[in-house]
Amino acid sequence: MDDLERRIAQARGDLPADLVLSGGQVFDLITGTMIPGDVAICGDRIAGIGADYDGTRILDVTGLTLVPGFIDTHLHVESSLVTPFEFDRCVTPRGITTAICDPHEIANVIGPDGIRWFQAASEHLLMDLRVQLSSCVPSTDMETSGAQIEADDLAPLMHHPSAIGLAEFMNYPGVIHRDPAAMAKLNLFAGGHVDGHCPQLTGRDLNAYIAAGIRTEHEATTADEALEKLRKGMRVLIREGSVSKDLDALQPILTEASSAYLCLCTDDRNPLDIGEHGHLDYMIRRLIALGTSPLAAYRAASLSAAEAFGLKDRGLIAPGLRADIVALDSLQDCRAQLVLTAGRVVDDAAFAARGHLAPVGRASVRAPRVTPQDFRCPGNRTSTPVIGILEGKIITEHLTLDIAPEDGDKRPDPSRDLTRIAVIERHGKSGNIATGFVQGFGLTRGAIASTVCHDHHNIAVVGVEYDDMALAANRLSQIEGGFVVVLDGRILAELPLPVAGLMSLDPFESVRDRLIELRAAARALGTTLEEPFLQLAFLALPVIPALKITDRGMVDVERFEIIAP
């Protein structure tokens, strides 16, 4: 008897099911009602629901509510600071059974080999990790990255089982102005899924972007922005990351009527935030607490996500679909008591039985050694562009402030919350060093440096003392990348990230504990930001308005040009 015949026989009760979840109730995401009865599972598929079943193995879920596994529709595993294997162990027990990732962080450092490594890793995980192919490496021509990926580089990667389409197309000017390289990638994926990234784009420019066949987008930060995108046929992904916190602003538009076209994603979330608050489970709890109906919240977390990305085999607890199931204490609390991925119970034994891969991208920090003098900001004009941080957002303000030079240098000024920021090219290509100012970091002393620096992942450093900035930046080369906090010539805390300067080889629990130390050290320097490290990373991303900095200089994102080399 083949698998199909066995599943049909088990669904009818002619054969005992491989596994039965007994005593619970299924939350039906079509009608919003509860379905009493057992759930029978045959292999990796659901055979039947709403009836009494015998099974070779029976799990008692009395008193629990069963919902489909959650689908994170857009994330970068690298931003969790751990490998895909540790990310799996970190979030799958919370009910995230499918994650749609864009590995463009590692791709910007080591190129297509980084994507291939993620594809290979996906074959060994408990969760279903879907690997989109990175569309914009680098994100623009205003930065120096470690690699450049064109359409011809993506074509050989399209047929891996984890492939799901073209990842977020960040170079939206390239789309609407029909850049040949952008057109080549869009034509390669014509008819398939193309993920979007177009913050604050509106009107005819948004029409042009969507007309390219781009159907999902996660950069909406206001209800009005999200509604325009919805009305023009986009599926909007509500995001709640460690820095980009858009859930509260977008929650009012998530209703039972709109929930078929809204999904949930985390984009960039680290193990400390996951440990303190949660992942998609936190988003569901928060949405319901703010007044969203459970039906709308759980639809967005699974069924709507599956349909938006063409995953026809999941999103409901229904016969014939993947047995991705989460057993909850209650819909409001969303605390997973049992998780199944493709019919497998998620537990320590299941994680121990997975395969593993050797890490890639070691020794990827090849930055020039810097001195305190490299952080001087020359110029005799007092009018100065300043990046204005908006906490909880990755968009920034484009400020213009008067900063008087002293001895040929515009100095940091903690009394005005004016901190020096610098980006140092670390891929061994140009050796560029660009400096500028940022307001909103709150530093009164010391320095913070990082190789997590979206998306080119050069070294980013902020500080008020040049000696400390130099020590922090140089230390990153010694530890193969990561985070460093320095005060008065002493390293207060650090987290090595030797895999491409982005991911640790340690368990996620160890990374979480080190992040606690790093946050405490950052607060000792005066910062009031909840997540200073990822906030720093996004100050260097030149596709997010309004003012950013790369190794080539300050970037006016709205005009898409370098304004201060």
Side-chain angles (χ1 to χ4, degrees), residues 93-230:
R94 293 179 175 273
I96 294 82
T97 56
T98 302
I100 300 172
C101 81
D102 173 8
H104 73 208
E105 316 298 359
I106 195 170
N108 267 280
V109 179
I110 64 173
D113 283 346
I115 299 175
R116 292 188 187 95
W117 187 68
F118 265 74
Q119 289 179 329
S122 73
E123 300 170 13
H124 301 284
L125 307 180
L126 295 191
M127 69 159 43
D128 186 14
L129 184 68
R130 292 304 182 104
V131 182
Q132 291 183 308
L133 300 187
S134 304
S135 66
C136 299
V137 178
S139 66
T140 73
D141 61 0
M142 296 180 290
E143 64 209 275
T144 305
S145 67
Q148 183 164 339
I149 296 179
E150 303 295 350
D152 288 345
D153 301 308
L154 297 176
L157 306 175
M158 295 176 65
H159 305 295
H160 188 270
S162 68
I164 197 170
L166 188 63
E168 54 179 326
F169 217 107
M170 296 179 292
N171 185 5
Y172 55 88
V175 175
I176 63 179
H177 296 297
R178 304 174 297 283
D179 173 78
M183 294 301 100
K185 293 171 184 174
L186 290 170
N187 280 316
L188 181 64
F189 286 84
H193 190 90
V194 182
D195 203 10
H197 180 290
C198 56
Q200 301 182 354
L201 204 63
T202 188
R204 291 182 178 180
D205 284 347
L206 179 59
N207 290 342
Y209 187 78
I210 298 172
I214 299 170
R215 289 289 174 261
T216 51
E217 213 273 341
H218 61 275
E219 290 293 339
T221 58
T222 68
D224 286 344
E225 181 181 0
L227 285 171
E228 183 181 2
K229 289 171 177 175
L230 283 171

Side-chain angles (χ1 to χ4, degrees), residues 381-386 399-403 410 416 418 439:
R381 294 181 56 189
T382 59
S383 180
T384 306
V386 175
L399 306 175
T400 302
L401 302 177
D402 287 336
I403 304 174
K410 296 180 181 182
R416 299 169 64 190
L418 289 173
Q439 188 174 67

Side-chain angles (χ1 to χ4, degrees), residues 12-133:
R12 291 195 72 244
D14 296 338
L15 290 176
D18 295 342
L19 174 64
V20 172
L21 304 181
S22 176
Q25 58 182 355
V26 170
F27 185 37
D28 175 23
L29 298 187
I30 303 298
T31 65
T33 59
M34 294 293 177
I35 303 173
D38 297 340
V39 175
I41 297 169
C42 176
D44 63 355
R45 300 278 162 164
I46 298 165
I49 67 171
D52 294 330
Y53 282 99
D54 291 326
T56 303
R57 183 184 181 191
I58 298 176
L59 294 178
D60 185 0
V61 292
T62 300
L64 301 180
T65 299
L66 308 182
V67 297
F70 309 141
I71 302 172
D72 191 330
T73 51
H74 175 75
L75 61 83
H76 307 283
V77 172
E78 303 97 313
S79 292
S80 71
L81 310 177
V82 294
T83 67
F85 298 93
E86 282 301 302
F87 177 74
D88 185 26
R89 199 171 65 83
C90 182
V91 306
T92 305
R94 293 179 175 273
I96 294 82
T97 56
T98 302
I100 300 172
C101 81
D102 173 8
H104 73 208
E105 316 298 359
I106 195 170
N108 267 280
V109 179
I110 64 173
D113 283 346
I115 299 175
R116 292 188 187 95
W117 187 68
F118 265 74
Q119 289 179 329
S122 73
E123 300 170 13
H124 301 284
L125 307 180
L126 295 191
M127 69 159 43
D128 186 14
L129 184 68
R130 292 304 182 104
V131 182
Q132 291 183 308
L133 300 187

Side-chain angles (χ1 to χ4, degrees), residues 201-402:
L201 204 63
T202 188
R204 291 182 178 180
D205 284 347
L206 179 59
N207 290 342
Y209 187 78
I210 298 172
I214 299 170
R215 289 289 174 261
T216 51
E217 213 273 341
H218 61 275
E219 290 293 339
T221 58
T222 68
D224 286 344
E225 181 181 0
L227 285 171
E228 183 181 2
K229 289 171 177 175
L230 283 171
R231 288 165 179 156
K232 291 182 175 179
M234 279 191 142
R235 308 276 185 132
V236 170
L237 319 181
I238 298 174
R239 171 178 58 189
E240 188 76 359
S242 288
V243 173
S244 315
K245 300 180 184 296
D246 305 317
L247 183 149
D248 284 19
L250 301 186
Q251 178 272 333
I253 71 171
L254 178 55
T255 66
E256 291 183 9
S258 65
S259 60
Y261 301 96
L262 290 161
C263 311
L264 306 183
C265 76
T266 58
D267 202 356
D268 302 278
R269 197 164 181 85
N270 67 44
L272 180 53
D273 283 339
I274 295 169
E276 289 180 341
H277 303 294
H279 200 259
L280 291 190
D281 55 320
Y282 164 75
M283 295 185 69
I284 294 167
R285 283 192 295 274
R286 178 68 179 163
L287 286 165
I288 293 173
L290 290 173
T292 300
S293 75
L295 177 57
Y298 282 94
R299 268 185 187 162
S302 53
L303 177 60
S304 301
E307 292 183 342
F309 285 83
L311 298 173
K312 298 180 180 180
D313 63 345
R314 68 198 72 186
L316 285 173
I317 298 178
L321 299 186
R322 265 178 65 104
D324 292 345
I325 300 172
V326 185
L328 302 173
D329 50 1
S330 75
L331 293 178
Q332 288 73 25
D333 290 343
C334 193
R335 310 280 180 184
Q337 306 301 307
L338 173 72
V339 178
L340 272 66
T341 65
R344 297 168 296 183
V345 175
V346 174
D347 56 18
D348 290 343
F351 285 119
R354 299 174 310 175
H356 288 278
L357 293 176
V360 297
R362 297 294 296 264
S364 57
V365 181
R366 297 183 288 275
R369 184 169 183 82
V370 296
T371 70
Q373 296 300 309
D374 290 317
F375 298 104
R376 290 171 60 87
C377 189
N380 54 18
R381 294 181 56 189
T382 59
S383 180
T384 306
V386 175
I387 301 170
I389 288 176
L390 298 170
E391 187 168 9
K393 298 182 182 297
I394 58 176
I395 59 174
T396 59
E397 294 181 298
H398 184 163
L399 306 175
T400 302
L401 302 177
D402 287 336

